[in-house]
Amino acid sequence: MTRKPFIAGNWKMYKNGQQAQDFIRQFIPLVNSWEAHQVGLAVSATVLKEAVSTVATVGSFPLIIGAQNMHWEIEGAFTGEISGSMIKGTGATMVILGHSERRQLFGETDEWVARKLAAALDYGLTPIVCVGETLQDRESGRTFNVLANQLTGCLAGVSDHSLGSIVLAYEPVWAIGTGVTATVEQAQEAHAFIRGRLSRQFSPQAAEAVRILYGGSVKPDNAKSLLDQSDIDGALIGGASLDPVSLAKIVNLA
Ligand code: PGA
């Protein structure tokens, strides 16, 4: 089974419209090949449309633009939220769901992620569903329990068929933005666990086909060894995705 590597940047609450434009114009020519892997950028909601049109202005490059969160309802009295249909309306085609910052700082639960996931699939957005344990979970030997519960909760209601449209990201919370990366052994072990778990929750074929990205302090100098692992199919990159040169380096390694 060959799974096409997927490298996605997560800009978090960084970059306004002009900065997004400048980044995209610089970044696209630095990528050696657009066939070997998929590349995405999750930008802030206010620059989605601008990012999409900048990509189109540069040329016909399949750089995927996405959001970092969404609400499951199509519209309503939900101050500050955006819906899948609004994201779709900007021309963006991807959305990150259940990022640990959403979970830890904004109280997002697995049940919410499951609802958002169903809505994202309805709109034809490619969801990147994040799971991962905290340092406390890991130190108390609960990593696999936590991952199993997150997978059960977030993917409740997902069919074998729709699993194929979902990308997962394993992001140990203790490795996000800390400069501490999981060792390749820790990362591969968690990815293999996730795939094994999916093969029981879904069919072995569907589990084999799903891409599982690693996230947490991925940088140009540690990306290769992580991406070489058999169950690591790409990366979700925060800090290093803010610089076009460093993101392109990682893409070109994948
Ligand atoms: P980081 O962030 O690469 O800065 O650790 C990863 C993420 O939050 O997705």
Side-chain angles (χ1 to χ4, degrees):
M1 164 63 59
T2 47
R3 296 178 293 263
K4 197 169 198 176
F6 191 173
I7 306 293
N10 171 15
W11 281 356
K12 310 192 179 187
M13 202 172 72
Y14 292 97
K15 295 200 192 290
N16 60 25
Q18 188 58 53
Q19 292 166 326
Q21 283 194 33
D22 294 345
F23 179 103
I24 290 167
R25 284 185 216 286
Q26 257 197 63
F27 171 70
I28 287 180
L30 297 174
V31 173
N32 294 338
S33 154
W34 291 90
E35 274 91 64
H37 27 57
Q38 277 186 302
V39 187
L41 278 181
V43 305
S44 97
T46 54
V47 307
L48 280 168
K49 200 166 178 177
E50 205 165 340
V52 169
S53 63
T54 306
V55 174
T57 311
V58 177
S60 57
F61 297 96
L63 172 58
I64 301 165
I65 300 295
Q68 302 169 7
N69 179 33
M70 60 176 265
H71 197 278
W72 57 83
E73 293 288 349
I74 181 171
E75 60 184 11
F78 302 105
T79 302
E81 293 288 319
I82 57 168
S83 71
S85 93
M86 291 167 178
I87 295 170
K88 188 94 187 167
T90 67
T93 55
M94 173 182 90
V95 62
I96 296 176
L97 299 177
H99 188 278
S100 70
E101 284 149 20
R102 298 294 321 163
R103 294 172 184 267
Q104 294 207 309
L105 305 173
F106 302 98
E108 197 152 311
T109 64
D110 292 334
E111 196 213 321
W112 288 15
V113 177
R115 288 203 218 178
K116 292 173 183 212
L117 177 56
L121 291 171
D122 273 354
Y123 289 112
L125 297 170
T126 300
I128 302 182
V129 177
C130 303
V131 295
E133 81 287 359
T134 62
L135 186 59
Q136 200 186 5
D137 295 331
R138 182 160 279 271
E139 286 177 344
S140 59
R142 297 192 64 252
T143 297
F144 293 150
N145 270 338
V146 168
L147 294 176
N149 286 339
Q150 288 174 336
L151 290 170
T152 307
C154 296
L155 303 180
V158 170
S159 67
D160 221 72
H161 174 71
S162 48
L163 187 67
S165 310
I166 298 171
V167 177
L168 288 169
Y170 167 63
E171 298 207 304
V173 178
W174 46 273
I176 295 178
T178 56
V180 181
T181 324
T183 64
V184 288
E185 293 79 15
Q186 284 171 326
Q188 166 56 27
E189 184 188 37
H191 281 236
F193 172 81
I194 291 170
R195 202 177 301 286
R197 176 89 197 173
L198 292 174
S199 72
R200 290 191 297 281
Q201 208 170 330
F202 301 91
S203 71
Q205 293 83 340
E208 201 45 40
V210 78
R211 286 176 296 179
I212 310 172
L213 317 184
Y214 169 79
S217 298
V218 176
K219 308 276 182 251
D221 59 359
N222 61 23
K224 177 93 175 88
S225 56
L226 287 159
L227 293 168
D228 277 349
Q229 302 304 304
S230 58
D231 285 295
I232 301 184
D233 309 309
L236 182 56
I237 304 161
S241 77
L242 295 171
D243 172 42
V245 174
S246 81
L247 184 61
K249 273 191 191 151
I250 298 172
V251 170
N252 292 335
L253 286 170

